[in-house]
């Protein structure tokens, strides 16, 4: 287990577009494992590789305890509805904003075995999928927030 350093808002790397994973190497598998440990240690429900300084299209999400979703090269292929709720980011600890996101999201991604899969999530999971996919394009939740939440 290795805990990685999480970059904070203001770090220029967080604004970069991540590159697709072309081959699932042992290095990518270690990255997934370390990202999972780092996300859990920080008590977050999602983490993108760029947040730990790796510009690859990789993210992990855990909105239901024990159910980690690993996303390699994720792409949102469908969405529906709308939700407004509080959103934060491990790169901006202690701060929250209200954002508008789709209520249901379907994402297509590759798993650690190289197999393509699709997941449809609602509410918090839909929000997390959007949030992590945005990170891979250098977007942050503060770009889409309607207002900040006073701590
Ligand atoms: Zn984030």
């Amino acid at each position: 287990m290795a805990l990685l350093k999480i970059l904070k808002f203001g770090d220029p790397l967080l604004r970069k577009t991540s590159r697709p994973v072309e081959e699932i190497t042992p290095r990518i598998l270690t990255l997934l494992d370390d990202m999972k440990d780092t996300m859990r240690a920080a008590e977050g429900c999602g983490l993108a590789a760029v947040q730990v300084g790796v510009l690859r299209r990789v993210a992990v999400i855990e909105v239901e305890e024990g159910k980690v979703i690993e996303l390699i090269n994720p792409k949102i292929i469908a969405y529906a509805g709308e939700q407004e709720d509080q959103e934060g980011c491990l790169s901006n600890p202690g701060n929250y904003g209200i954002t508008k996101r789709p209520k249901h999201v379907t994402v297509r991604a590759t798993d650690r075995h190289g197999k393509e899969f699709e997941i449809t999530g609602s509410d918090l999971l839909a929000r997390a999928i959007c949030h992590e996919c945005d990170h891979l394009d250098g977007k942050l939740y503060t770009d889409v927030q309607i207002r900040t939440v006073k701590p």
Side-chain angles (χ1 to χ4, degrees):
M1 158 163 171
L3 296 183
L4 307 170
K5 186 172 170 275
I6 301 177
L7 303 181
K8 299 293 186 297
F9 278 24
D11 192 301
L13 215 60
L14 290 175
R15 289 303 188 178
K16 301 252 196 235
T17 301
S18 295
R19 285 180 297 131
V21 172
E22 269 143 36
E23 195 192 341
I24 298 166
T25 58
R27 206 170 166 163
I28 294 290
L29 299 181
T30 302
L31 174 67
L32 282 166
D33 292 339
D34 291 347
M35 282 173 61
K36 183 183 83 176
D37 292 339
T38 303
M39 169 181 69
R40 284 181 164 167
E43 296 181 352
C45 63
L47 188 68
V50 60
Q51 290 179 275
V52 293
V54 179
L55 283 171
R56 289 295 190 162
R57 301 188 83 81
V58 172
V60 293
I61 291 174
E62 185 178 31
V63 298
E64 201 180 317
E65 215 184 310
K67 270 184 139 183
V68 176
I69 302 168
E70 298 176 333
L71 302 168
I72 299 169
N73 299 335
K75 192 175 183 335
I76 291 173
I77 54 169
Y79 55 88
E82 214 175 72
Q83 56 166 321
E84 249 181 54
D85 211 337
Q86 185 168 301
E87 190 163 327
C89 181
L90 286 179
S91 293
N92 194 24
N95 298 294
Y96 298 93
I98 302 292
T99 58
K100 198 180 273 187
R101 298 284 195 185
K103 189 162 176 62
H104 312 281
V105 169
T106 301
V107 65
R108 181 181 292 155
T110 300
D111 71 13
R112 62 163 60 221
H113 309 292
K115 203 163 175 271
E116 212 175 62
F117 67 100
E118 286 175 17
I119 276 187
T120 300
S122 300
D123 303 312
L124 181 57
L125 181 52
R127 173 171 294 278
I129 290 169
C130 292
H131 181 113
E132 300 315 327
C133 287
D134 275 358
H135 268 305
L136 306 183
D137 291 322
K139 282 195 241 162
L140 304 173
Y141 81 87
T142 42
D143 298 341
V144 294
Q145 75 179 11
I146 302 163
R147 59 185 183 275
T148 57
V149 177
K150 293 264 175 284

